[in-house]
Amino acid sequence: MNAAYEIERLLQFGHKHGLVKGLDVIVARNQLLDLFRLDAPYEGEVPEEEFEYPTQLLEGLLDLAAGQGLFDNSVYNYRVNFEARIMGCMMPGAQETARRFEELFQTQGAKAATDWFYKLCIDSNYIRTAQIAQNIQWSTSTPYGELEITINLTKPEKDPKTIALEKLQPQTAYPKCMLCRENIGYAGRINFPARQTHRIVPVKLCGEQWYFQYSPYVYFNEHCIILCEEHTPMEMDRRTLAKIMDFVQQFPHYTCGSNADLPIVGGSILSHSHFQGGSYEFPMTRATLAAPLHCTGHEGVRGGILNWPVSTIRPESHDPDALLAAAGDVLEAWAGYTDESVGILARSGEVRHNTVTPILHFDGERGYVMDLALRNNRTSEEYPDGIFHPHPEWHNIKKENIGLIEVMGLAILPCRLKEQSAAVCRILCGAEPNTSREESSPLAVHADWIDGLIAKYGTALTPGEAEHAVRGEIGLVFSHVLEDAGVFKQTDEGRAAFARFAACAGLAEG
């Protein structure tokens, strides 16, 4: 395999997909020659080829680069970072990307702009489509409707060599986090992804400078992130809701939501204010009202309590200002609400516990629809990880925080479950013995769960039946995890308590 020839094949891909054109092709060629330490380009003919994604071309170039000793191929992170260096040579500049996005937004509308930007992120392999396609996905029927499950295979678990190298990495505060705008073009390091293919575009929200980007992991269609220009902590107040509304008004084809602003019930990055969104109908969006209510004092606002495991109030209206006023009342009522009979305390001394996870989308018939998931981050001796957090009996499947994406009914589960669930299937088929109680068994974390599955299904299922059963049971575990996160439980006592809060928040029957 000839590196100079493979570079020309990649350049042909870049030209066909609009990554480079004109004089920029020469610049990209020279940068790639320098990257591969070549003195001159390939001079022969390159046959016409059609590739939807650059993955196949990149794999060949990466193998050649590893053979030249340009990176340590035994460390996965180095291979991924070098891939970003290759594709970064063909990326339009950050300012040109922003200019083109704004031009399309002004002349053809928001959807044309996001379509172009999303395609750029796919063509450049910033969104690693081929790897994401390996994720395992299915839906499970529950009392709340269909919940969606994804076993995330885009982030392989770290091997011992990578962990050892990370410990040797000097401490640095640049970029401050993975959301900061300084990530664009960043070379990366062993414990921080390369971002030569990363681009952001400016958007104004309530007069403030924010930026719009796509997530490289796209947990759902057109998964985007909207980030504050400044590295400032997450907030949750009326102004936060107004910014979410401003975004959806500008991009009405996208859902937009925010993680909560407190530990345990918030996302993985609380230090940088941001929202997430995308062009996707989540299970929560399809949920119906368990108790229709009206918002007193807010004409034209309808809503009620959602039939959903995470306790949620849904106001909706064609009037965005009226909706924001009603939603703000719910937020502020919840911030100071205490009901000790169901374990809800607004504060412990000066420590605040109550917040919300808000999600907004626009519906052509119903107007603006906002879901306000009520959250509380108290802990106890019995539940040190969080009272309204996945309880220990489900930690074999899900123990991480329940953030925005999970609240909307989409589980993102760790890659270990691919092999572990397959092993459980083999046990239910009788192809392998149940070794989960043996010392050092890789299935030890699932021992109680496997015992329950054997009692329910036996060990004589067909492979198809076993897979269907295990996936269904994982989905039901996820529904229980969401119930744990609910501050008002799915009991008569919980429903009565929820009705008391709704009345305090200005929601009434009739």
Side-chain angles (χ1 to χ4, degrees):
M1 192 181 290
N2 182 302
Y5 174 70
E6 295 302 317
I7 286 172
E8 292 304 315
R9 294 177 72 202
L10 185 65
L11 286 168
Q12 183 186 89
F13 170 89
H15 187 265
K16 285 187 174 183
H17 287 260
L19 294 174
V20 287
K21 55 186 176 181
L23 295 174
D24 286 338
V25 176
I26 299 173
V27 175
R29 177 180 290 114
N30 286 333
Q31 289 177 338
L32 288 166
L33 290 173
D34 179 59
L35 181 60
F36 280 82
R37 300 176 187 174
L38 299 174
D39 295 327
Y42 178 77
E43 298 291 353
E45 291 292 322
V46 178
E48 288 288 323
E49 297 176 291
E50 297 294 336
F51 292 100
E52 187 176 6
Y53 310 118
T55 311
Q56 182 179 335
L57 298 168
L58 286 169
E59 289 302 314
L61 281 166
L62 288 166
D63 289 343
L64 287 167
Q68 289 180 240
L70 299 182
F71 66 89
D72 183 352
N73 201 32
S74 67
V75 180
Y76 175 79
N77 289 10
Y78 285 149
R79 186 177 178 94
V80 173
N81 284 1
F82 198 86
E83 177 188 289
R85 290 183 67 186
I86 293 172
M87 291 304 296
C89 295
M90 296 198 302
M91 283 295 291
Q95 195 63 33
E96 170 58 21
T97 301
R99 185 202 66 77
R100 179 60 174 155
F101 183 91
E102 179 65 16
E103 177 184 60
L104 287 168
F105 187 95
Q106 295 299 333
T107 59
Q108 299 181 38
K111 190 173 186 308
T114 57
D115 285 350
W116 171 81
F117 191 25
Y118 192 62
K119 183 177 184 301
L120 172 68
C121 293
I122 290 174
D123 291 341
S124 65
N125 218 43
Y126 167 75
I127 295 173
R128 306 178 76 237
T129 309
Q131 289 77 13
I132 292 165
Q134 298 174 24
N135 288 347
I136 300 170
Q137 300 173 311
W138 71 90
S139 296
T140 297
S141 181
T142 76
Y144 314 101
E146 295 281 315
L147 297 181
E148 298 177 4
I149 314 298
T150 295
I151 296 179
N152 177 26
L153 303 180
T154 59
K155 291 183 180 179
E157 296 191 23
K158 295 175 183 177
D159 59 83
K161 184 172 183 178
T162 300
I163 294 170
L165 287 169
E166 286 184 349
K167 289 181 179 179
L168 299 175
Q169 181 72 29
Q171 293 294 313
T172 178
Y174 183 85
K176 290 180 181 177
C177 76
M178 290 190 186
L179 293 179
C180 286
R181 61 178 184 167
E182 288 78 12
N183 280 274
I184 52 174
Y186 185 62
R189 50 187 190 268
I190 184 65
N191 59 349
F192 202 101
R195 288 289 182 250
Q196 286 95 334
T197 55
H198 177 45
R199 296 292 181 267
I200 60 178
V201 296
V203 294
K204 285 288 181 70
L205 298 182
C206 296
E208 294 181 10
Q209 186 62 67
W210 286 55
Y211 293 92
F212 173 94
Q213 68 170 71
Y214 285 104
S215 167
Y217 306 111
V218 286
Y219 293 137
F220 47 87
N221 187 49
E222 297 183 44
H223 180 185
C224 64
I225 299 171
I226 308 97
L227 56 112
C228 183
E229 181 176 43
E230 303 298 327
H231 182 79
T232 55
M234 298 285 287
E235 298 177 315
M236 191 53 61
D237 53 25
R238 287 182 185 264
R239 190 163 177 82
T240 306
L241 302 183
K243 290 170 188 171
I244 293 172
M245 176 65 77
D246 195 354
F247 179 82
V248 172
Q249 287 182 299
Q250 293 181 61
F251 300 88
H253 58 300
Y254 276 178
T255 292
C256 182
S258 175
N259 269 305
D261 58 332
L262 296 178
I264 298 176
V265 296
S268 58
I269 301 179
L270 293 174
S271 61
H272 196 134
S273 188
H274 68 284
F275 309 136
Q276 295 184 68
S279 178
Y280 194 69
E281 184 182 65
F282 291 91
M284 186 185 217
T285 309
R286 299 188 291 269
T288 57
L289 294 179
L293 303 169
H294 74 272
C295 300
T296 56
H298 300 288
E299 186 176 351
V301 181
R302 308 165 303 281
I305 294 172
L306 204 62
N307 177 31
W308 197 245
V310 184
S311 311
T312 300
I313 286 179
R314 171 180 285 175
E316 56 184 72
S317 177
H318 286 280
D319 183 341
D321 293 331
L323 178 63
L324 285 175
D329 286 355
V330 173
L331 185 155
E332 291 178 354
W334 176 246
Y337 189 76
T338 290
D339 186 343
E340 294 188 30
S341 71
V342 287
I344 295 170
L345 299 179
R347 290 181 177 271
S348 296
E350 296 300 312
V351 179
R352 179 168 61 96
H353 294 307
N354 286 355
T355 185
V356 302
T357 300
I359 304 107
L360 178 69
H361 75 275
F362 179 76
D363 182 281
E365 296 182 359
R366 297 156 58 196
Y368 295 96
V369 181
M370 181 171 283
D371 290 324
L372 297 166
L374 310 177
R375 314 300 302 276
N376 180 288
N377 77 341
R378 283 184 61 225
T379 60
S380 66
E381 287 187 13
E382 183 180 6
Y383 299 115
D385 294 326
I387 297 172
F388 304 104
H389 177 84
H391 288 178
E393 59 264 37
W394 317 122
H395 283 186
N396 62 311
I397 303 296
K398 177 73 175 176
K399 66 183 296 185
E400 298 80 13
N401 292 356
I402 299 303
L404 170 67
I405 296 173
E406 286 86 4
V407 164
M408 294 189 287
L410 173 56
I412 308 298
L413 302 180
C415 62
R416 62 176 172 81
L417 285 173
K418 177 186 177 182
E419 297 301 329
Q420 291 174 348
S421 63
V424 174
C425 286
R426 292 192 293 272
I427 292 171
L428 296 182
C429 291
E432 291 182 5
N434 177 15
T435 60
S436 61
R437 297 290 178 185
E438 295 181 6
E439 188 175 352
S440 302
S441 168
L443 297 178
V445 67
H446 297 295
D448 291 341
W449 186 57
I450 292 172
D451 288 346
L453 294 181
I454 292 173
K456 183 174 182 179
Y457 296 103
T459 57
L461 299 182
T462 66
E465 290 171 337
E467 181 180 271
H468 180 76
V470 169
R471 288 188 174 187
E473 294 292 336
I474 290 174
L476 290 176
V477 167
F478 179 52
S479 74
H480 296 321
V481 161
L482 294 183
E483 289 170 341
D484 286 346
V487 292
F488 298 110
K489 302 306 179 187
Q490 305 294 322
T491 61
D492 290 342
E493 180 188 22
R495 284 185 279 271
F498 203 165
R500 290 196 297 272
F501 168 70
C504 288
L507 294 132
E509 295 182 1

